[in-house]
Amino acid sequence: MKHQSRERLVGIAGVREDMQRHALTREERLQRWADLLDQTPDRRLNTLFETEFQPISTRDSMRRESSPLEVAFEDPLLRKEGLNDDSYGEAKRFFGLSDLEMHQLVCSCHTGETVRSGTVAECVRAVAEPGPSPWSMFLNAFFIFRRS
């Protein structure tokens, strides 16, 4: 068997580039962001100032150089997936995050003006993990107390 480059195989097989990969899920996008942050875990990143106190229009346009959001935007794959810039509002939309989750990830009130990249990666992974639904929590509590 002769080794062939990916480009050569694509040409031979007639595979279309747009058919080769699926769109990333929310969890895959968040995992990719966390992986990017973990590449330089001790890098100091700038946080955004008191996001919870900003008017929505101001909050959505907030950005800062060398922020966790800029790390995501620098990635060609995330841009190809549709990340349009490194603003708070765009990251919120692209990653499917709530204001509370964004606040936990990028606000200055948790870590001060800067934060370790590895710390943000841990927080992104925590946000990416789906939590139990209220219904499953109710059922678990029911079965625990039923056995008592």
Side-chain angles (χ1 to χ4, degrees), residues 38-62:
D38 264 342
Q39 287 177 358
T40 53
D42 292 323
R43 177 181 173 191
R44 298 304 295 186
L45 297 172
N46 293 318
T47 58
L48 302 181
F49 184 70
E50 296 184 349
T51 61
E52 72 275 24
F53 297 117
Q54 306 302 323
I56 292 172
S57 60
T58 301
R59 183 183 320 140
D60 283 349
S61 64
M62 289 177 78

Short mmCIF file of all heavy atoms in Angstrom, two decimals, residues 38-62:
data_model
loop_
_atom_site.label_atom_id
_atom_site.label_comp_id
_atom_site.label_asym_id
_atom_site.label_seq_id
_atom_site.Cartn_x
_atom_site.Cartn_y
_atom_site.Cartn_z
N ASP A 38 -5.53 25.93 27.17
CA ASP A 38 -4.59 25.04 27.86
C ASP A 38 -3.24 24.92 27.16
O ASP A 38 -2.30 24.40 27.75
CB ASP A 38 -5.20 23.65 28.03
CG ASP A 38 -5.85 23.47 29.38
OD1 ASP A 38 -5.56 24.25 30.30
OD2 ASP A 38 -6.64 22.52 29.53
N GLN A 39 -3.14 25.40 25.94
CA GLN A 39 -1.85 25.32 25.25
C GLN A 39 -0.78 26.16 25.95
O GLN A 39 0.40 25.83 25.90
CB GLN A 39 -2.01 25.77 23.79
CG GLN A 39 -2.73 24.75 22.95
CD GLN A 39 -2.94 25.21 21.52
OE1 GLN A 39 -2.57 26.33 21.14
NE2 GLN A 39 -3.55 24.36 20.71
N THR A 40 -1.20 27.24 26.58
CA THR A 40 -0.28 28.08 27.37
C THR A 40 -0.97 28.39 28.70
O THR A 40 -1.45 29.50 28.92
CB THR A 40 0.06 29.39 26.62
OG1 THR A 40 -1.15 30.04 26.25
CG2 THR A 40 0.91 29.13 25.39
N PRO A 41 -1.04 27.41 29.61
CA PRO A 41 -1.87 27.54 30.82
C PRO A 41 -1.44 28.66 31.77
O PRO A 41 -2.27 29.16 32.54
CB PRO A 41 -1.74 26.18 31.49
CG PRO A 41 -0.50 25.58 30.93
CD PRO A 41 -0.34 26.14 29.55
N ASP A 42 -0.18 29.08 31.73
CA ASP A 42 0.27 30.13 32.65
C ASP A 42 0.23 31.52 32.04
O ASP A 42 0.59 32.50 32.69
CB ASP A 42 1.69 29.82 33.14
CG ASP A 42 1.70 28.59 34.04
OD1 ASP A 42 0.75 28.41 34.82
OD2 ASP A 42 2.67 27.81 33.96
N ARG A 43 -0.22 31.61 30.81
CA ARG A 43 -0.34 32.92 30.14
C ARG A 43 -1.36 33.77 30.88
O ARG A 43 -2.44 33.30 31.24
CB ARG A 43 -0.78 32.71 28.70
CG ARG A 43 -1.00 33.99 27.93
CD ARG A 43 -1.47 33.69 26.52
NE ARG A 43 -1.84 34.91 25.82
CZ ARG A 43 -2.47 34.94 24.67
NH1 ARG A 43 -2.78 33.83 24.05
NH2 ARG A 43 -2.79 36.09 24.10
N ARG A 44 -1.02 35.03 31.13
CA ARG A 44 -1.94 35.95 31.80
C ARG A 44 -2.83 36.59 30.73
O ARG A 44 -2.34 37.16 29.76
CB ARG A 44 -1.20 37.03 32.57
CG ARG A 44 -0.32 36.53 33.70
CD ARG A 44 -1.01 35.70 34.72
NE ARG A 44 -2.03 36.44 35.46
CZ ARG A 44 -2.70 35.95 36.51
NH1 ARG A 44 -2.48 34.73 36.93
NH2 ARG A 44 -3.59 36.68 37.10
N LEU A 45 -4.14 36.45 30.92
CA LEU A 45 -5.11 37.03 29.99
C LEU A 45 -5.87 38.14 30.68
O LEU A 45 -6.12 38.08 31.89
CB LEU A 45 -6.08 35.94 29.52
CG LEU A 45 -5.46 34.79 28.74
CD1 LEU A 45 -6.49 33.69 28.50
CD2 LEU A 45 -4.87 35.29 27.42
N ASN A 46 -6.26 39.13 29.92
CA ASN A 46 -7.02 40.26 30.46
C ASN A 46 -8.49 39.90 30.57
O ASN A 46 -9.07 39.29 29.67
CB ASN A 46 -6.85 41.48 29.55
CG ASN A 46 -5.43 41.99 29.57
OD1 ASN A 46 -4.79 42.06 30.60
ND2 ASN A 46 -4.92 42.33 28.40
N THR A 47 -9.10 40.32 31.66
CA THR A 47 -10.53 40.11 31.87
C THR A 47 -11.30 41.35 31.40
O THR A 47 -10.71 42.38 31.10
CB THR A 47 -10.82 39.85 33.36
OG1 THR A 47 -10.34 40.96 34.13
CG2 THR A 47 -10.16 38.56 33.84
N LEU A 48 -12.61 41.23 31.37
CA LEU A 48 -13.47 42.36 31.03
C LEU A 48 -14.00 42.96 32.33
O LEU A 48 -14.37 42.24 33.25
CB LEU A 48 -14.62 41.90 30.13
CG LEU A 48 -14.22 41.22 28.82
CD1 LEU A 48 -15.45 40.82 28.02
CD2 LEU A 48 -13.31 42.11 28.00
N PHE A 49 -14.07 44.27 32.38
CA PHE A 49 -14.40 44.98 33.61
C PHE A 49 -15.88 44.92 33.94
O PHE A 49 -16.71 45.41 33.17
CB PHE A 49 -13.92 46.43 33.52
CG PHE A 49 -14.12 47.21 34.79
CD1 PHE A 49 -13.36 46.93 35.91
CD2 PHE A 49 -15.09 48.19 34.85
CE1 PHE A 49 -13.55 47.64 37.08
CE2 PHE A 49 -15.29 48.91 36.03
CZ PHE A 49 -14.52 48.63 37.14
N GLU A 50 -16.21 44.31 35.07
CA GLU A 50 -17.55 44.29 35.66
C GLU A 50 -18.67 44.15 34.63
O GLU A 50 -19.55 45.01 34.51
CB GLU A 50 -17.76 45.54 36.52
CG GLU A 50 -16.81 45.58 37.71
CD GLU A 50 -17.06 46.76 38.64
OE1 GLU A 50 -17.81 47.69 38.29
OE2 GLU A 50 -16.49 46.73 39.75
N THR A 51 -18.67 43.05 33.93
CA THR A 51 -19.65 42.82 32.86
C THR A 51 -21.09 42.90 33.34
O THR A 51 -21.96 43.37 32.61
CB THR A 51 -19.42 41.45 32.19
OG1 THR A 51 -19.57 40.42 33.16
CG2 THR A 51 -18.05 41.38 31.55
N GLU A 52 -21.32 42.47 34.55
CA GLU A 52 -22.71 42.44 35.05
C GLU A 52 -23.32 43.82 35.26
O GLU A 52 -24.54 43.96 35.33
CB GLU A 52 -22.81 41.61 36.35
CG GLU A 52 -22.20 42.27 37.57
CD GLU A 52 -20.70 42.06 37.75
OE1 GLU A 52 -19.98 41.80 36.75
OE2 GLU A 52 -20.24 42.18 38.89
N PHE A 53 -22.48 44.85 35.35
CA PHE A 53 -22.98 46.20 35.58
C PHE A 53 -23.10 47.03 34.31
O PHE A 53 -23.54 48.18 34.36
CB PHE A 53 -22.09 46.94 36.59
CG PHE A 53 -22.07 46.30 37.94
CD1 PHE A 53 -20.89 45.77 38.45
CD2 PHE A 53 -23.23 46.19 38.69
CE1 PHE A 53 -20.88 45.17 39.71
CE2 PHE A 53 -23.22 45.58 39.94
CZ PHE A 53 -22.04 45.07 40.45
N GLN A 54 -22.73 46.46 33.19
CA GLN A 54 -22.76 47.19 31.91
C GLN A 54 -24.14 47.08 31.27
O GLN A 54 -24.78 46.02 31.34
CB GLN A 54 -21.71 46.63 30.95
CG GLN A 54 -20.31 46.59 31.52
CD GLN A 54 -19.81 47.95 31.96
OE1 GLN A 54 -20.08 48.96 31.32
NE2 GLN A 54 -19.06 47.98 33.06
N PRO A 55 -24.61 48.13 30.61
CA PRO A 55 -25.85 48.01 29.83
C PRO A 55 -25.64 46.95 28.75
O PRO A 55 -24.53 46.74 28.28
CB PRO A 55 -26.03 49.40 29.21
CG PRO A 55 -25.11 50.31 29.94
CD PRO A 55 -24.03 49.47 30.54
N ILE A 56 -26.71 46.29 28.36
CA ILE A 56 -26.62 45.19 27.40
C ILE A 56 -25.87 45.60 26.13
O ILE A 56 -25.00 44.87 25.66
CB ILE A 56 -28.01 44.64 27.06
CG1 ILE A 56 -28.60 43.95 28.29
CG2 ILE A 56 -27.95 43.66 25.90
CD1 ILE A 56 -30.05 43.54 28.14
N SER A 57 -26.19 46.77 25.59
CA SER A 57 -25.54 47.18 24.34
C SER A 57 -24.03 47.37 24.54
O SER A 57 -23.23 47.01 23.67
CB SER A 57 -26.16 48.48 23.82
OG SER A 57 -26.01 49.51 24.77
N THR A 58 -23.63 47.89 25.67
CA THR A 58 -22.21 48.06 25.97
C THR A 58 -21.57 46.70 26.22
O THR A 58 -20.49 46.40 25.71
CB THR A 58 -22.02 48.96 27.20
OG1 THR A 58 -22.61 50.22 26.95
CG2 THR A 58 -20.55 49.13 27.55
N ARG A 59 -22.24 45.86 26.99
CA ARG A 59 -21.72 44.54 27.34
C ARG A 59 -21.46 43.72 26.08
O ARG A 59 -20.41 43.10 25.94
CB ARG A 59 -22.70 43.82 28.25
CG ARG A 59 -22.20 42.47 28.71
CD ARG A 59 -23.21 41.72 29.57
NE ARG A 59 -23.92 42.57 30.48
CZ ARG A 59 -25.22 42.47 30.75
NH1 ARG A 59 -25.97 41.55 30.17
NH2 ARG A 59 -25.80 43.29 31.60
N ASP A 60 -22.41 43.71 25.17
CA ASP A 60 -22.27 42.89 23.97
C ASP A 60 -21.10 43.32 23.10
O ASP A 60 -20.52 42.50 22.39
CB ASP A 60 -23.56 42.90 23.15
CG ASP A 60 -24.63 42.00 23.73
OD1 ASP A 60 -24.32 41.21 24.65
OD2 ASP A 60 -25.79 42.08 23.28
N SER A 61 -20.73 44.59 23.14
CA SER A 61 -19.62 45.05 22.31
C SER A 61 -18.28 45.05 23.06
O SER A 61 -17.25 45.39 22.48
CB SER A 61 -19.91 46.44 21.75
OG SER A 61 -20.01 47.37 22.81
N MET A 62 -18.29 44.67 24.32
CA MET A 62 -17.05 44.66 25.11
C MET A 62 -16.04 43.69 24.53
O MET A 62 -16.39 42.58 24.13
CB MET A 62 -17.34 44.28 26.57
CG MET A 62 -18.06 45.33 27.37
SD MET A 62 -18.43 44.78 29.05
CE MET A 62 -16.83 44.99 29.82
#
